[in-house]
Amino acid sequence: MIIEKIIKEVSKAVVGMDEIVELMTVSLIAGGHILLEGIPGIAKTTLSKNFANTLGLKFVRIQMTPDLLPADILGHTFYDMKAGEFKIRKGPIFANVLLVDEINRASPKTQSALLEAMEERQVTIEGITLKLPEPFIVIATRNPVELEGVYELPAAQVDRFMMKIDLTYLDESHEKLMLRRKSLGKFSTAKQVVSSSEILNAKREFRRVHVSDAIIDYIYSIVKETRLDDRVILGASPRAGEHLLYAARVHAYLRGRSYVIPDDVKKLALPVLAHRIIIKPEYEIDNITGKEIVMEVLERVEVPTE
């Protein structure tokens, strides 16, 4: 299975992140993007780079800064003196796996340069539209601790990330294992174990996974309930329901099933929905989060038995 090969290979470079690697694989196959949130030194970059290595895909990392311009990401036109014509110099966005480090350090203008690429899989440079490589995934990182010199991501941009994955400290056993392996020099860089053709085939095949009307109703009920909660300003969008549907189908496909079950939906609901929910200020003070809202919704909504 694709997922088993990827997890096994990535574990040569990082430890304790099997579930996160699985979510990243689901998002890649489903055509989504990922927002990784975690403190510095938690291995966000190492994880992303080695994930790309297992797929044999082109990996590019962009460090976002306040002075970065859209052209620094997308590319620009230049006059070729030798050819006597204008040409396009493609920017780093023309990759398969694009790691956007500290996305909230870039200005809103530069952040918005990613929107077309994330949604349409294309960029426009001086009126010329260019398609991005396939597959294409943006993995953006955000530091939840530093609040100075950063720009808040607008809700419209956050909604374009299929999943938000929180990277926390490793548990005791995994952190000790990491230190032992570092001490012995037993960490290595992940190698390619899956071909791009396998990924592209998976992107086609997962759409054959059957979704019953009962599962469609279940997904809709979950999304709708997030909007009806009195503590919420903004609930999950229709795009969120679409993303949850696709992610659940990929989850089923990676487990060798030709149909989606409620557990697929419940497994993906938190990373797909929680980051899109905006809590009213008076409840934020009480530390109510989108994650808690989704967990409560999953308990309230009746699970289909078909």
Side-chain angles (χ1 to χ4, degrees):
M1 289 291 290
I2 289 177
I3 189 63
E4 293 171 350
K5 291 190 288 186
I6 293 174
I7 289 175
K8 182 178 179 181
E9 189 64 21
V10 172
S11 67
K12 295 178 180 179
V14 295
V15 297
M17 296 192 182
D18 291 0
E19 287 190 16
I20 294 169
V21 173
E22 181 179 5
L23 291 176
M24 293 172 72
T25 306
V26 168
S27 191
L28 173 70
I29 294 174
H33 306 287
I34 299 168
L35 182 60
L36 286 180
E37 188 166 281
I39 62 170
I42 209 78
K44 297 186 293 293
T45 302
T46 301
L47 171 64
S48 301
K49 185 174 182 179
N50 283 280
F51 174 70
N53 287 346
T54 65
L55 310 170
L57 300 176
K58 182 181 179 182
F59 172 83
V60 172
R61 173 183 175 271
I62 302 175
Q63 177 62 53
M64 300 296 255
T65 57
D67 60 347
L68 200 70
L69 298 175
D72 296 327
I73 297 174
L74 306 180
H76 59 273
T77 58
F78 70 99
Y79 187 72
D80 187 331
M81 298 288 289
K82 189 173 182 179
E85 61 182 8
F86 283 96
K87 293 185 177 180
I88 292 178
R89 178 174 287 121
K90 294 181 178 180
I93 199 169
F94 288 89
N96 297 111
V97 179
L98 180 70
L99 176 63
V100 181
D101 246 339
E102 297 183 297
I103 186 172
N104 52 335
R105 287 203 174 279
S107 68
K109 182 178 181 180
T110 302
Q111 288 180 20
S112 66
L114 292 170
L115 294 181
E116 181 186 12
M118 292 171 67
E119 190 67 19
E120 306 296 334
R121 300 297 197 278
Q122 64 183 31
V123 299
T124 302
I125 302 173
E126 297 292 335
I128 301 173
T129 299
L130 302 172
K131 290 290 184 183
L132 290 168
E134 184 66 29
F136 173 73
I137 182 172
V138 172
I139 302 175
T141 71
R142 183 167 65 177
N143 181 349
V145 178
E146 292 185 348
L147 302 176
E148 296 183 5
V150 298
Y151 300 87
E152 189 63 32
L153 295 182
Q157 184 161 353
V158 171
D159 193 55
R160 280 173 167 78
F161 287 100
M162 176 173 277
M163 297 185 197
K164 175 177 171 287
I165 304 173
D166 296 318
L167 270 67
T168 57
Y169 293 115
L170 297 172
D171 60 36
E172 181 178 347
S173 61
H174 281 119
E175 190 157 357
K176 286 181 177 179
L177 175 60
M178 180 271 291
L179 291 172
R180 290 192 189 97
R181 289 176 62 179
K182 286 286 185 181
S183 175
L184 297 171
K186 288 189 175 180
F187 276 109
S188 60
T189 301
K191 302 291 192 298
Q192 180 178 354
V193 292
V194 177
S195 67
S196 58
S197 60
E198 286 181 272
I199 295 297
L200 293 175
N201 182 63
K203 288 174 71 67
R204 290 189 297 268
E205 290 296 316
F206 91 86
R207 295 181 181 276
R208 298 184 181 181
V209 173
H210 176 67
V211 184
S212 67
D213 288 342
I215 294 293
I216 293 290
D217 291 342
Y218 184 49
I219 292 173
Y220 172 74
S221 296
I222 292 171
V223 171
K224 182 182 177 182
E225 277 293 311
T226 67
R227 304 168 188 164
L228 298 178
D229 196 295
D230 291 335
R231 297 166 293 178
V232 168
I233 297 175
L234 186 67
S237 66
R239 182 190 283 119
E242 180 185 353
H243 283 175
L244 183 54
L245 169 65
Y246 292 157
R249 291 173 85 178
V250 174
H251 191 263
Y253 169 77
L254 291 175
R255 276 158 176 68
R257 274 186 278 106
S258 60
Y259 54 91
V260 173
I261 61 175
D263 282 349
D264 295 318
V265 178
K266 289 193 283 187
K267 173 80 173 179
L268 279 303
L270 278 176
V272 172
L273 301 181
H275 64 289
R276 308 169 195 260
I277 298 172
I278 300 179
I279 307 296
K280 291 178 180 177
E282 58 266 34
Y283 293 103
E284 278 189 328
I285 295 173
D286 296 329
N287 294 320
I288 299 297
T289 64
K291 183 177 180 179
E292 290 181 36
I293 298 294
V294 174
M295 290 175 68
E296 291 177 15
V297 165
L298 290 174
E299 291 180 1
R300 288 200 304 269
V301 175
E302 185 178 354
V303 179
T305 56
E306 292 183 16

